Amino acid sequence: MTSHAERYAAARSAAEHPQTQAFSAQQRFDLDPFQVEACQALERGRSVLVAAPTGAGKTIVGEFAIHMAMQTANDKAFYTTPMKALSNQKFRELVDAYGADQVGLLTGDTNINGNARIVVMTTEVLRNMLYADSDALRGLRYVVMDEVHYLADRFRGPVWEEVILHLPQDVRLISLSATVSNAEEFGDWLDTVRGDTDVIVSEIRPVPLEQHVLVRDDLLPLFDDRAGVATAQVNQELSRLRSSSGPRHESNRRAQEYRSNRHAGRHAQRPPRGGKRPNRGADERRIERMDRPDVVRLLERANLLPAIFFIFSRVGCDAAVQQVRRAGVRLTTAEERAEIKAIVDDRTRSLQDEDLDVLGFWEWRDNLERGVAAHHAGLLPAFKEVVEELFQRKLVKAVFATETLALGINMPARTVVLEKMEKFNGEARVAITSGEYTQLTGRAGRRGIDVEGHAVVQWTAGMDPQAVAALASRRTYPLNSSFRPTYNMAVNLIDRFGRERAREILESSFAQFQADRAVVGLARKVKDAEESLQGYRTAMKCEHGDFPDYAAIRRELSDLEKKNRKDAAAPRAVREKRMKKIQGLRTRMQRHSCHGCPDREAHARWAERYYSLKRETDRTRRQIETRTGTVARTFDRVIDVLQVVGYLDGEGGDLALTEAGRTMRRIYGERDLLVAEALRNNLWRNLDAPSLAAMASCLVYEPRRDEQNLGERGLPRGAFRIAYDQTMRLWVELDELEHDYGLPRTEPLAPGLAAAMHNWTRGGSLDRVLVDADMAAGDFVRWSKQTIDLLDQLSIVAEDDQLARTARRALDGVRRGIVAYSAV
C-alpha cells in the first residue's frame, strides 16, 4: 500500500512529465525506474546515455524519443543500428506502430521512404548524410544510437564517433548501450561534446537469471543457494567435483547425497534431474558429457525451452542440428509443424527452385518443422530472418547459434546453453571474457513470459567452477574507442571546417578523451573561444579601414611605453632606440585610416577583448599541443600523405581540396585512397561489367582468419589480370608511402572472391558460384552486398562516363537471385 507522500510524488511527477505519463500508459508493462528516468530527461530537453543489461528494455527509451517527435508537426527522428538485420527488425516494428507512410529504411542496399519523419538506418548511412549535408537532415530532432557500444569495434566503430561529433548541437542524442564498466566516462565525454547529457545506468535484469552447470545429466546450481550470486560463492559440490581425485563412485555418492538434499527443499522453478546414467567401472574418473540431443530432451522435460545453444563455430552449429535430427528429436506438434511450413513457404516464395535445391532448403525446412535450427553468418539472410521469426513465435524451440546472435537481435529464450567457455579467435583458443559471458547469457529470460531465465554451462574436463562464477558475477566490459582518422574523413573535415577546426574536432574524439581527458575540455574551451573571437572581430569592424591592423599598432605602442616607464635604469642608447621606435609607432597610428573614426574607442574596446581572449586561447592551444594529441598527430600524417599524392593544395592551415580530393569525399571504405588513386589513374577503364565486379570484390573482401589463402589462382584473364596487376603495384607504392609517414598500412587486395564474383555477374548458376567461392551462401550474399556498395560509389564518382556505365551494369549483374532477395 502506497503512502500519501508516495502518491503525491507520483502525481507531481506525472504533472511535470505529461508525455512520459501518456507514453507509459500505452505500454504493455509498467516502465522500470531507469526507463522512466531516461524518458523524463528527454522530456526536459536533455540527451541520454542508457546502459542496461540485454533484455532490460533500453529500446523503449528510443521509442519514446520517436513518440515525442511525432507529437509535433515537423520533427524527425532517426533510429540507427550497427547491423542491417537490426535495422530491418526495427523498421518492421515501427511500421506496425506508426504506419508505412511515416517510416523509412536506409541500409545502403535498401532505400524505402527515405524522406519519412521516422527513418531507420545503419550508422554508416547517417555518417554519409552528415558529410553530404543531406536535405533529409532538415527538421531532425532526435537520433537514437542503438548498441552504441559498437564504437569499440575495430573496423566500424569510428563511424559512431564521427556521427556523435558532427550531429548538429540542437539534435538530442539517445545512446543505448549494453552494461559497460565505464559508462560514466563515456557519459562524461558525451556531455563534453554534446552538452546536457544524463547518464542512466541500470544493473537490474527485469527477469532474474539462474546459473547452472550441467554435470553428466544433472543441472546443478553454480552458486551456493544460501550465499547467492552477489557473493560469487560457488556451490561446494561443484568445487568437490573439480578437486576430487578419488574413484568415481565416491564422487557419485557425494553428488547423490547433494541431489537428495536439494530435491527435498527444491525451489518450485528449479529444473528436475534428467534420466539415469549408465553404471561405469569404479575406477573411472572422467565425467561423461551428455550428447546434444540428450541435452535438448533434458531441457524439454524441465520445461526450459526455447533455448539457444551458443557454439563458437558455424560448422559446429550445423553439425548440432544434424545430430538432433539423426536422434529423431521432434519438439513440435502437428499444428505447429503446419504453421511453420506455411510461414517458411510464404517468406521464401521469391527464391527460385533451383536455388532452393543448392541451399539445402528442403532439409532446412524439415529441421524447422522439428523445432530446431542453426543461426550464423553463413546462413542466407532470408533463412536467418525466418529462424528469428519462428523463434520469436515460439515455434522453433532450440537454436544452435554463433555469438553473432548475442549482438542485438531480438531473440530472447528461456534458457541459454554454453557448451564451452572458450572460443577460437582465428589464431588460438581463448577463454571468453566476462563481457562476452554477459552478452551471451543476457538472452535468457523473456520479459512478461518467464519468471526467471536460465544460463547453463556444460561441464568440461578441467573446468574451474570458480572461474565461471567470476565471469557470471563480474561486470568488467569496458568501452574503449577505436577511432582513427581516415583519408575520406580527412578530406571531408578539411572541406567543411578547414585544417585547424578539423584538428579541434578530432581532439574532441572519445579516443583522445580516453588518452587524455583534459584535452577534450581544453579543445571545447578553444572551440567556444573561437566563436567569441569571431564575434569580437565583427564588433570591431571599421568602415574606415583595417581596424585589427590599427589595434595591433596601438597595442605594440602601449606595451613599449609601459616597458619604457618600468625600465628607467636602462642604458641611454637602449632608451633612445626604444623612444625612436615609439615615435615611429605614434606616427603610423596617427596616419592610419582608422584613427579618425568617430567610433574608434568603441572598436578599440572590442579589439582589447579580442586580443586578450586570443592570448588566452593561444596558451590553451599550446597546452593541447604539449599533451598526448595522438589523434590529431595521426590526422596530420594523413594530411601529409594526401598532400603528397595531390588531394590537397596549400600549406599549413590554408588547405583546399583538389579535383581528386573532391572525388575522395564520396569514397568510403578500408581502401579509400587506393580506390581513389585507381580511378584517377584510369586503371579500370577497360574492364567489362563482370571484371569490374570482380575487382570491386578484391577491394572489399576480407578473408576469415581461419580460411586458406588461395592466392591468385583462378583469377579472370585478359583485361582483369592487367588491371589487377596495375592495382597491386599501386597498392605497393601507397603502402610504402604510408610506412614512410608512420601510418598503419592498408591491407592488400584480397582476390579470394574474384573468380566467383566474375562468374556470378556473368549470370553463372548459384551452385557453381558457391563452389568457386568456397563459402556459404550467407557469406556470399554479405560480400556481394559490400561489392554492390562499392560499385554504387564508382557509378557516382567516376569521371569517366564509360566506367560509370560499366559500374551500373555490374550492379545489375550482381544484384540478382539470392543477392537481390529481401524479406523487408
Side-chain angles (χ1 to χ4, degrees):
M1 184 120 180
T2 57
S3 66
H4 290 298
E6 289 171 329
R7 288 197 296 273
Y8 173 75
R12 182 175 177 179
S13 176
E16 292 175 351
H17 303 95
Q19 292 208 58
T20 301
Q21 179 71 13
F23 178 75
S24 178
Q26 298 171 8
Q27 306 309 306
R28 291 180 300 139
F29 310 112
D30 290 338
L31 297 189
D32 290 334
F34 85 91
Q35 295 169 325
V36 173
E37 183 183 355
C39 291
Q40 290 179 349
L42 279 173
E43 193 169 355
R44 291 194 302 272
R46 300 180 65 82
S47 295
V48 294
L49 166 64
V50 181
T54 300
K58 296 182 291 292
T59 56
I60 203 77
V61 182
E63 291 165 11
F64 176 68
I66 294 170
H67 167 82
M68 288 212 299
M70 298 304 285
Q71 302 309 301
T72 67
N74 301 307
D75 284 352
K76 288 183 176 180
F78 288 173
Y79 197 107
T80 74
T81 77
M83 296 183 294
K84 292 176 183 178
L86 273 177
S87 294
N88 293 343
Q89 188 176 77
K90 182 53 66 175
F91 170 72
R92 289 190 290 265
E93 292 174 3
L94 291 172
V95 165
D96 290 342
Y98 292 98
D101 59 325
Q102 296 291 343
V103 186
L105 176 67
L106 299 173
T107 61
D109 59 345
T110 303
N111 187 334
I112 302 173
N113 199 16
N115 291 316
R117 291 181 60 198
I118 307 168
V119 185
V120 183
M121 62 187 69
T122 53
T123 318
E124 284 84 354
V125 170
L126 179 53
R127 185 271 310 274
N128 298 351
M129 291 171 68
L130 288 167
Y131 279 152
D133 196 22
S134 169
D135 289 339
L137 298 170
R138 309 293 177 264
L140 181 60
R141 179 62 176 160
Y142 302 98
V143 168
V144 182
M145 301 194 79
D146 201 357
E147 307 284 340
V148 74
H149 50 275
Y150 243 81
L151 67 78
D153 183 80
R154 177 185 161 207
F155 296 106
R156 300 177 57 205
V159 175
W160 269 252
E161 291 190 50
E162 289 181 81
V163 168
I164 291 168
L165 290 169
H166 296 317
L167 274 175
Q169 286 296 316
D170 60 345
V171 173
R172 296 297 89 191
L173 189 65
I174 299 89
S175 305
L176 308 177
S177 171
T179 304
V180 292
S181 52
N182 60 335
E184 288 75 13
E185 179 189 38
F186 184 50
D188 287 346
W189 174 69
L190 288 173
D191 192 65
T192 301
V193 296
R194 302 291 313 166
D196 297 336
T197 300
D198 287 356
V199 179
I200 294 107
V201 177
S202 174
E203 294 278 359
I204 301 172
R205 282 179 49 96
V207 180
L209 183 64
E210 291 285 331
Q211 309 269 356
H212 311 278
V213 177
L214 178 58
V215 181
R216 301 188 183 92
D217 59 357
D218 198 29
L219 286 167
L220 303 180
L222 173 60
F223 294 101
D224 190 316
D225 287 346
R226 296 161 297 180
V229 177
T231 62
Q233 186 171 330
V234 176
N235 179 350
Q236 292 303 303
E237 177 60 19
L238 293 174
S239 298
R240 284 194 291 271
L241 286 171
R242 157 83 171 166
S243 60
S244 174
S245 58
R248 176 173 172 187
H249 66 267
E250 174 63 15
S251 177
N252 284 347
R253 184 185 64 76
R254 290 174 176 170
Q256 184 60 49
E257 287 178 0
Y258 173 81
R259 287 193 296 272
S260 298
N261 294 335
R262 184 165 61 86
H263 280 298
R266 179 194 299 270
H267 188 284
Q269 291 270 335
R270 189 77 67 200
R273 184 166 65 118
K276 299 278 187 182
R277 288 187 302 277
N279 186 24
R280 305 286 185 181
D283 60 344
E284 182 178 352
R285 300 174 187 177
R286 181 173 177 270
I287 296 177
E288 295 288 342
R289 283 168 57 89
M290 290 185 76
D291 291 335
R292 286 166 179 151
D294 293 330
V295 176
V296 172
R297 291 188 180 104
L298 169 65
L299 296 180
E300 183 183 26
R301 287 194 300 272
N303 195 28
L304 292 180
L305 297 179
I308 299 173
F309 293 72
F310 281 111
I311 302 172
F312 303 117
S313 155
R314 299 178 182 187
V315 173
C317 292
D318 293 333
V321 172
Q322 291 305 314
Q323 281 181 280
V324 174
R325 175 190 178 90
R326 287 195 299 270
V329 174
R330 189 178 293 279
L331 306 172
T332 53
T333 64
E335 293 77 13
E336 288 173 329
R337 290 194 288 277
E339 187 177 354
I340 289 169
K341 184 176 183 299
I343 292 172
V344 171
D345 291 347
D346 178 66
R347 301 295 185 270
T348 58
R349 65 180 182 276
S350 300
L351 295 174
Q352 299 175 5
D353 286 346
E354 57 267 31
D355 289 347
L356 292 178
D357 288 334
V358 174
L359 296 168
F361 171 81
W362 313 108
E363 184 176 300
W364 172 72
R365 189 181 67 179
D366 183 65
N367 291 332
L368 290 176
E369 290 179 34
R370 292 172 178 272
V372 297
H375 188 289
H376 54 71
L379 204 62
L380 189 70
F383 284 15
K384 281 199 295 186
E385 291 171 12
V386 170
V387 171
E388 291 159 12
E389 180 179 354
L390 294 177
F391 196 80
Q392 289 168 9
R393 291 181 180 226
K394 295 181 283 187
L395 295 171
V396 165
K397 322 287 186 175
V399 170
F400 298 89
T402 56
E403 61 188 312
T404 54
L405 182 58
L407 299 175
I409 298 294
N410 183 23
M411 280 183 64
R414 177 165 294 174
T415 304
V416 162
V417 179
L418 300 181
E419 292 191 351
K420 295 181 180 178
M421 299 301 289
E422 61 179 21
K423 63 177 184 177
F424 184 68
N425 67 1
E427 297 173 358
R429 299 208 67 85
V430 296
I432 64 173
T433 67
S434 59
E436 289 167 335
Y437 185 90
T438 301
Q439 280 282 96
L440 297 168
T441 58
R443 291 280 155 208
R446 299 162 299 175
R447 188 167 187 169
I449 301 174
D450 299 322
V451 176
E452 59 192 16
H454 298 268
V456 176
V457 176
Q458 197 162 5
W459 184 276
T460 56
M463 174 183 284
D464 180 0
Q466 192 62 57
V468 178
L471 288 177
S473 58
R474 196 165 56 227
R475 297 291 180 267
T476 55
Y477 178 51
L479 185 59
N480 294 315
S481 172
S482 58
F483 187 78
R484 66 196 186 283
T486 65
Y487 298 110
N488 170 272
M489 185 192 305
V491 294
N492 274 290
L493 289 174
I494 293 292
D495 188 48
R496 291 190 66 191
F497 305 110
R499 182 170 189 163
E500 293 308 312
R501 179 76 181 91
R503 271 183 122 261
E504 290 163 10
I505 289 172
L506 295 176
E507 291 285 10
S508 299
S509 67
F510 188 45
Q512 188 59 59
F513 186 83
Q514 289 191 304
D516 184 353
R517 293 187 62 168
V519 168
V520 176
L522 293 171
R524 181 78 177 189
K525 187 177 179 181
V526 168
K527 178 186 173 186
D528 293 342
E530 285 288 358
E531 295 173 1
S532 298
L533 288 170
Q534 181 57 47
Y536 293 162
R537 278 192 290 267
T538 302
M540 69 176 172
K541 190 173 182 180
C542 179
E543 61 185 14
H544 291 271
D546 185 351
F547 203 88
D549 180 61
Y550 176 72
I553 296 171
R554 280 180 53 142
R555 191 175 64 258
E556 187 178 0
L557 176 59
S558 175
D559 290 344
L560 273 175
E561 288 175 338
K562 288 178 183 177
K563 190 171 185 178
N564 203 40
R565 287 193 298 270
K566 290 180 180 179
D567 198 11
R572 181 176 178 179
V574 174
R575 288 176 59 81
E576 286 180 355
K577 184 178 180 180
R578 192 180 291 153
M579 285 301 299
K580 186 176 181 180
K581 188 172 183 179
I582 288 172
Q583 190 58 48
L585 287 169
R586 283 176 179 163
T587 301
R588 284 178 60 195
M589 181 183 72
Q590 290 165 0
R591 290 176 179 176
H592 199 284
S593 58
C594 292
H595 192 65
C597 175
D599 297 321
R600 181 186 68 199
E601 293 309 310
H603 293 328
R605 284 192 293 273
W606 286 113
E608 284 304 311
R609 294 177 187 175
Y610 173 86
Y611 286 111
S612 175
L613 181 58
K614 188 174 186 305
R615 280 194 297 270
E616 183 182 337
T617 304
D618 288 343
R619 282 196 299 270
T620 305
R621 288 186 197 278
R622 287 193 292 273
Q623 281 183 275
I624 291 174
E625 289 170 3
T626 59
R627 294 180 184 269
T628 52
T630 51
V631 176
R633 282 202 294 273
T634 301
F635 174 70
D636 288 339
R637 291 194 286 268
V638 168
I639 294 298
D640 290 340
V641 169
L642 288 171
Q643 287 182 286
V644 168
V645 294
Y647 285 66
L648 295 172
D649 270 342
E651 295 181 0
D654 187 19
L655 296 174
L657 271 61
T658 63
E659 189 63 34
R662 284 189 284 276
T663 299
M664 169 68 80
R665 287 180 311 172
R666 293 174 293 174
I667 298 175
Y668 303 96
E670 287 293 311
R671 300 178 178 91
D672 48 7
L673 182 58
L674 179 60
V675 172
E677 278 290 272
L679 286 176
R680 188 163 66 155
N681 289 284
N682 291 316
L683 300 188
W684 305 334
R685 184 179 185 184
N686 296 324
L687 296 178
D688 59 11
S691 296
L692 186 58
M695 181 62 69
S697 76
C698 294
L699 291 156
V700 300
Y701 180 54
E702 296 169 5
R704 288 161 56 92
R705 283 178 292 183
D706 55 351
E707 286 180 11
Q708 286 188 336
N709 182 9
L710 301 178
E712 299 175 3
R713 288 183 291 121
L715 290 183
R717 301 288 181 181
F720 173 85
R721 191 55 191 251
I722 294 170
Y724 177 83
D725 290 341
Q726 291 174 333
T727 307
M728 277 299 295
R729 284 195 292 272
L730 176 60
W731 171 80
V732 171
E733 294 172 10
L734 295 176
D735 182 61
E736 291 175 352
L737 183 62
E738 289 175 324
H739 176 69
D740 290 343
Y741 281 89
L743 287 171
R745 290 172 154 181
T746 306
E747 290 294 316
L749 275 68
L753 189 58
M757 190 60 66
H758 189 273
N759 188 4
W760 177 254
T761 311
R762 289 174 53 206
S765 65
L766 179 63
D767 58 343
R768 181 68 254 173
V769 166
L770 293 182
V771 170
D772 288 346
D774 189 26
M775 64 175 57
D779 291 322
F780 180 73
V781 169
R782 184 171 72 259
W783 292 119
S784 294
K785 291 191 174 183
Q786 295 280 334
T787 302
I788 286 171
D789 186 51
L790 178 54
L791 289 171
D792 188 45
Q793 293 178 42
L794 297 180
S795 72
I796 295 170
V797 305
E799 295 180 9
D800 185 297
D801 290 340
Q802 177 182 329
L803 181 60
R805 287 193 297 271
T806 303
R808 287 190 286 273
R809 288 196 297 273
L811 275 170
D812 294 337
V814 178
R815 194 188 283 124
R816 66 180 183 86
I818 63 171
V819 176
Y821 177 84
S822 175
V824 173

